[in-house]
């Protein structure tokens, strides 16, 4: 450790500080201030002891304990009796506060962070504290940081569903200091009490950025061009059309739209070269000054101004810190080690604002630059053999592009489940067009637009023309394939970081080769074991998907059966399958759905299925006669074998597992006779048996379907009952329950749903029969395992 500390002095502090932070997040434990101070005093004393090993060990301990305590103000803050978190209610209240950040606007709505000052519930106004994230469902928001506003909204505190692979949204908000959320329909529902109630330099910068953005949009009527140019110049991606943003992602060049080290580097290089050119025009500075050093220092204020103009994003801040470090090192004529500089930049950002460590943009930009710093020197060792300067530059550019694309491939798949390596090729055109062309042309034009607004269209025309060409090329690239995979785990990320660290800090070809092969083979072995292992038991997992329903069954041979796919009750603009169901399947090591069953065509049961059919191999699809158009379209695209099943069908699955369909029967006749008009009563109901174990899946069936099943003289007695229609009062009759005689009941239901499910009648009936009840709103995802004789139930994914 001592040798590493000597060569890379920020490695040990950064490594152990981040280790402490990550551990505190996973175990929920925070070191107290007294312990951290004691460790710091030990570190001070160690300075006077001539033992480098002791000093390194105490340094590691101090930064680990510091990291273990750093996130406590965000993840375990002291709660005030006036906190907005304590005012959660089912009824809307009047809320007043001040906007604290630049509003975020996107095609599906806007977001404001409001520092709450008071609330009014009825005739009484109370003091309130805390940050509230306000969602504006429709339209753009033209308010600004520092405005005092008033609005009416319900207050809610987001909670985890208890779903495998679930994005931890409550933690995401907590790391931003946000205590609760609210929602209004549009800006018309927000009353501006006083504009600029709180003045600040950042508000002035925000207003400048807004005016520049408005000038760009006014000068360039084509929204597809103006939105991209606004993103390139002031970091505002809010109005890029969704299909265009998706096209940039598929092409693998969406990074160009986010202000990062690349943009900062281009602008810093331009300013540096411009200052050098100006100073060398005059004899005195050219002969007496170190023009190169002075030019680099002059670029620093411009970089800082650009940092705040673009919103002070972590990726931009990281780039500015790195360039400042390089500039200072150049000025004092000290050796500049790229890895040291990267570690210093990362350490500074995380030490100043610990939640930065968990910012995805920071992580991806840090990793991409890390990969470039490792790979490019390896490629450039051979540049001496290349005589052409143009060819050497091309090799350097290609190596950087390949390194950045490959090193972020695994993290992008981990976070977003889809990635593109098309950027290796598309960067050759997009980087010159947008990076060198549009960014520089627009950066030069921005000050002139402020001074000469009437000439803005002419000044911005070169940059706009380059963006238009880029957009056309990008839309053509939408036909290029992307890589989708939902099986990347936290262990994969651990081995990935271990591999990157080995390639960076280990020396010796033999040691590097052995270590690299060992890490890669271990990671692959874990995946191979997970995907091929089957324990000969039946695993039934009721996924906690809110006010919806989806169950995943792993059969004794390891094949997968998916029953329903959950979904949103109303259109939200989000894809349920992409956001919740696919990550859950990935976390449960499901890479293929051998059989899919759709019980009925309601959005809370079938809404997530289209995405799964599109992105996972599906062997066969079983359903009743009604299938949604979107599901049908994806089935046809994927050439999935379809089968319509009805009461009386007996279906064999590996195990052997048998499914007996109980309802509906004679669908067409029932519709004609008017016996049943509800889609819920036409739900597929079936009994699954494996050995002496059995389970009835009732979907959304109610009393009518239960009466028909009772009249059909089926064998209804089952070990487990999946309660019908989320525990509705109109399902699970006493007569049906007497026939089933379950030893366990499972209910899929959303916490605090507006339907009041499960109903008190159903819960009381189950309790009166002394039937244990597990429900997803309280227990999260429920796992049931049976070997065909005995069975056990567990709840490993508890909700908040």
């Amino acid at each position: 450790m001592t040798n590493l500390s000597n060569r890379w002095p920020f490695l040990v502090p950064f490594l152990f500080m981040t280790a402490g932070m990550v551990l505190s997040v996973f175990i929920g434990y925070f070191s107290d201030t007294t312990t951290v101070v004691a460790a710091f005093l030990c570190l001070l004393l160690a300075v006077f002891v001539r033992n480098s090993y002791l000093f390194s060990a105490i340094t590691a301990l101090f930064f680990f304990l510091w990291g273990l305590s750093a996130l406590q103000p965000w993840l375990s803050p002291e709660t005030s009796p006036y906190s907005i978190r304590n005012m959660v209610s089912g009824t809307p209240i009047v809320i007043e506060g001040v906007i604290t950040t630049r509003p975020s606007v996107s095609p599906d709505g806007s977001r404001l962070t409001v520092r709450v000052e008071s609330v009014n519930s009825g005739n009484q106004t109370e003091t309130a504290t805390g940050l509230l994230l306000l969602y504006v469902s429709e339209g753009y928001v033209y308010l600004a940081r520092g405005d005092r506003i008033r609005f009416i909204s319900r207050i809610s505190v987001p909670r985890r569903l208890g779903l495998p692979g679930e994005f931890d949204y409550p933690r995401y908000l907590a790391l931003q200091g946000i205590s609760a959320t609210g929602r209004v329909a549009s800006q018309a529902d927000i009353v501006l009490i006083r504009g600029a109630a709180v003045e600040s330099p950042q508000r002035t910068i925000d207003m400048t950025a807004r005016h520049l953005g408005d000038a760009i949009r006014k000068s360039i009527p084509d929204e597809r061009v103006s939105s991209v140019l606004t993103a390139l110049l002031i970091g505002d991606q809010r109005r890029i059309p969704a299909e265009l943003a998706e096209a940039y992602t598929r092409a693998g060049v969406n990074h160009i739209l986010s202000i990062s080290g690349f943009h900062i580097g281009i602008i810093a290089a331009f300013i540096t070269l411009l200052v050098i050119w100006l100073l060398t025009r005059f004899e005195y500075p050219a002969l007496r000054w170190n023009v190169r050093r002075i030019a680099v220092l002059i670029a620093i204020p411009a970089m800082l101004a650009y940092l705040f103009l673009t919103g002070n994003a972590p990726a931009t801040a990281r780039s500015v810190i790195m360039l400042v470090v390089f500039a200072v090192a150049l000025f004092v004529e000290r050796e500049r080690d790229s890895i040291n500089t990267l570690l210093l930049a990362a350490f500074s950002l995380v030490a100043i604002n610990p939640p930065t460590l968990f910012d995805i943009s920071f992580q991806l930009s840090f990793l991409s630059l890390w990969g470039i710093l490792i790979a490019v020197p390896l490629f450039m060792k051979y540049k001496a053999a290349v005589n052409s300067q143009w060819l050497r530059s091309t090799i350097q550019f290609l190596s950087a592009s390949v390194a950045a694309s490959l090193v972020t491939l695994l993290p992008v798949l981990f976070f977003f489940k889809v990635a593109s390596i098309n950027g290796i090729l598309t960067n050759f055109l997009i980087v010159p067009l947008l990076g060198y062309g549009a960014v520089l042309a627009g950066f030069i034009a921005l000050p002139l637009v402020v001074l000469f607004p009437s000439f803005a269209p002419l000044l911005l025309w070169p940059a706009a023309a380059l963006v238009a060409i880029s957009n056309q090329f990008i839309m053509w690239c939408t036909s290029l394939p992307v890589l989708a995979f939902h099986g990347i785990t936290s262990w994969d990320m651990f081995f990935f970081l271990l591999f990157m660290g080995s390639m960076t800090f280990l020396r010796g070809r033999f040691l590097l080769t052995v270590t690299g092969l060992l890490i890669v083979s271990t990671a692959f072995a874990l995946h191979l074991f997970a995907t091929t292992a089957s324990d000969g038991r039946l695993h039934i997992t009721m996924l906690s998907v809110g006010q919806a329903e989806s169950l995943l069954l792993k059969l004794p041979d390891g094949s997968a059966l998916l029953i329903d796919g959950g979904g949103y009750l109303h259109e939200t603009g989000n894809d349920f399958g992409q956001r919740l169901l696919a990550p859950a399947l990935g976390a449960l090591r499901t890479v293929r759905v051998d059989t899919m069953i759709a019980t009925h065509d309601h959005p809370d049961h079938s809404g997530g299925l289209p995405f799964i059919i599109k992105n996972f191999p599906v062997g066969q699809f079983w359903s009743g006669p009604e299938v949604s158009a979107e599901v049908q379209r994806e089935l046809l695209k994927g050439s999935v074998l379809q089968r319509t099943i009805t009461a009386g069908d007996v279906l064999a699955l590996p195990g052997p597992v048998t499914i007996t369909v109980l309802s509906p029967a004679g669908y067409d006749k029932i519709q004609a006779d008017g016996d049943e008009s509800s889609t819920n009563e036409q739900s597929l109901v079936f009994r699954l048996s494996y050995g002496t174990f059995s389970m009835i899946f009732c979907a959304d069936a109610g009393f009518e379907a239960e009466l028909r099943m009772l009249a059909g003289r089926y064998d209804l007695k089952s070990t487990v009952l999946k309660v019908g229609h989320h525990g509705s009062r109109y399902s699970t009759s006493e007569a049906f329950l007497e026939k089933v005689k379950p030893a366990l009941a499972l209910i899929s239901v959303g916490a605090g749903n507006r339907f009041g499910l499960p109903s008190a009648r159903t819960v009381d009936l189950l309790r009166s029969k002394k039937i244990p009840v597990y429900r997803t709103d309280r227990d999260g995802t429920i796992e049931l395992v049976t070997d065909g004789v005995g069975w056990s139930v567990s709840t490993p994914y508890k909700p908040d």
Side-chain angles (χ1 to χ4, degrees), residues 103-174:
S104 172
V105 181
S106 62
D108 58 348
S110 307
R111 292 182 298 176
L112 306 172
T113 302
V114 180
R115 187 181 70 248
V116 179
E117 296 178 335
S118 65
V119 298
N120 187 308
S121 52
N123 298 321
Q124 183 178 1
T125 300
E126 303 176 41
T127 299
T129 60
L131 293 180
L132 180 138
L133 182 62
L134 178 64
Y135 292 93
V136 184
S137 300
E138 299 176 355
Y140 295 114
V141 172
Y142 295 94
L143 299 166
R145 187 196 312 254
D147 290 344
R148 177 169 284 111
I149 60 174
R150 181 182 298 155
F151 55 92
I152 299 176
S153 172
R154 291 184 178 88
I155 298 174
S156 62
V157 176
R159 64 192 295 274
R160 288 181 298 176
L161 295 171
L163 184 67
E166 177 183 9
F167 175 67
D168 196 338
Y169 189 58
R171 187 182 73 190
Y172 169 79
L173 293 180

Side-chain angles (χ1 to χ4, degrees), residues 548-589:
E549 188 167 297
S550 181
L551 295 100
L552 176 69
L553 280 66
K554 288 292 185 72
L555 304 184
D557 70 335
S559 58
L561 166 63
L562 180 65
I563 303 171
D564 286 338
Y568 300 111
L569 285 168
H570 305 288
E571 180 59 43
T572 64
N574 299 315
D575 190 318
F576 187 93
Q578 180 181 23
R579 291 171 66 92
L580 292 176
L581 187 55
L585 297 184
L588 294 172
R589 302 284 191 174

Side-chain angles (χ1 to χ4, degrees), residues 46 73 211 322 330 352 419 663 754:
H211 292 324
M322 289 196 64
L330 178 64
I352 293 170
S663 180
R754 59 189 178 90

